[in-house]
Amino acid sequence: MSDVKNPAEEMEREETQPDERAEPADESASEPVEAPAEALELPEGANLLQMLIEAQKEAKTNEDGWQRARAEFANFKKRTAKEQSSAFQRGQLDALISLLNIIDDFDRAFESVPEAISEDPWIGGVSMIQRKFTSLLEHYEVEAIDPTGGPFDPNLHQAIGAEDSDEVESGHVIETLQKGYRAGEQVLRLALVKVAT
């Protein structure tokens, strides 16, 4: 038999056999694209406008809650900073209170310095130390309470005695035995006084 191929048969064979070089057809292109079920399924009788209004209300509620929480946090920060500042100031004043007796001792010592040694340089040096204590009190705005001659005030004074007096009106302070101290409205120590009856 001859090896010569019939061209008609060859063409017929090519038409019936798929071309291996051809790309497979895109099956997805022919199928319709389905949207997510959630987007398509709405509750029966759903009103899109009503749903939008409700979503806006919920968003407004959430925004209000967020702003309220933010304001509360800002107030909390302010309150905490104020409390820390007060605690720090209170600590400073507590330290000063412990120095008040020392300052009293300096005052009493200088009231009784003999005149013979009052010009001594050593007395001058100790006097400078006393002035430093006084400056420290001034720095923290601590002022002495010396109510001699003024009316008795139980918020500032502690009466430890009472005497008849022709010079001082009844209910007024005859003598201050120990000065009191205060910082602003805060009393650090009450003044010890004698009151006229």
Side-chain angles (χ1 to χ4, degrees):
M1 284 200 108
S2 169
D3 286 338
V4 178
K5 295 181 182 175
N6 186 346
E9 288 177 7
E10 197 63 38
M11 285 180 65
E12 194 177 298
R13 196 179 310 131
E14 285 179 8
E15 286 175 5
T16 57
Q17 291 181 355
D19 186 2
E20 292 176 2
R21 292 173 295 169
E23 293 182 6
D26 187 3
E27 295 176 5
S28 62
S30 60
E31 295 177 7
V33 177
E34 293 183 11
E38 296 171 1
L40 294 177
E41 292 177 13
L42 295 173
E44 279 187 34
N47 184 339
L48 290 177
L49 181 59
Q50 185 63 31
M51 289 174 67
L52 178 62
I53 291 170
E54 287 174 8
Q56 287 175 335
K57 283 182 184 176
E58 185 178 351
K60 178 68 175 157
T61 302
N62 292 340
E63 184 183 6
D64 291 345
W66 173 76
Q67 287 179 343
R68 194 165 38 253
R70 187 176 175 194
E72 287 173 3
F73 182 67
N75 290 337
F76 168 76
K77 280 175 64 177
K78 287 178 187 174
R79 189 170 59 251
T80 303
K82 189 176 180 181
E83 287 171 0
Q84 286 177 340
S85 175
S86 295
F88 182 70
Q89 185 179 17
R90 182 66 202 173
Q92 290 176 323
L93 294 178
D94 286 345
L96 289 176
I97 289 170
S98 64
L99 296 175
L100 295 179
N101 289 334
I102 298 170
I103 294 169
D104 289 342
D105 291 341
F106 271 106
D107 290 344
R108 281 191 291 269
F110 278 100
E111 285 170 7
S112 60
V113 171
E115 201 171 312
I117 62 167
S118 62
E119 299 299 321
D120 192 287
W122 186 85
I123 296 294
V126 175
S127 176
M128 287 178 64
I129 297 171
Q130 183 195 28
R131 283 197 295 272
K132 284 184 179 179
F133 277 117
T134 304
S135 297
L136 185 66
L137 294 180
E138 289 172 359
H139 174 75
Y140 288 100
E141 299 178 355
V142 175
E143 59 181 9
I145 303 170
D146 188 351
T148 302
F152 176 76
D153 182 351
N155 296 315
L156 301 174
H157 316 140
Q158 181 179 348
I160 59 171
E163 293 179 3
D164 291 332
S165 175
D166 297 330
E167 299 175 0
V168 179
E169 190 180 337
S170 178
H172 283 58
V173 175
I174 298 172
E175 182 185 359
T176 301
L177 303 173
Q178 185 183 64
K179 287 189 290 188
Y181 290 91
R182 70 178 173 188
E185 296 299 314
Q186 184 176 355
V187 177
L188 304 180
R189 188 177 78 184
L190 295 172
L192 302 181
V193 298
K194 283 184 182 178
V195 183
T197 57

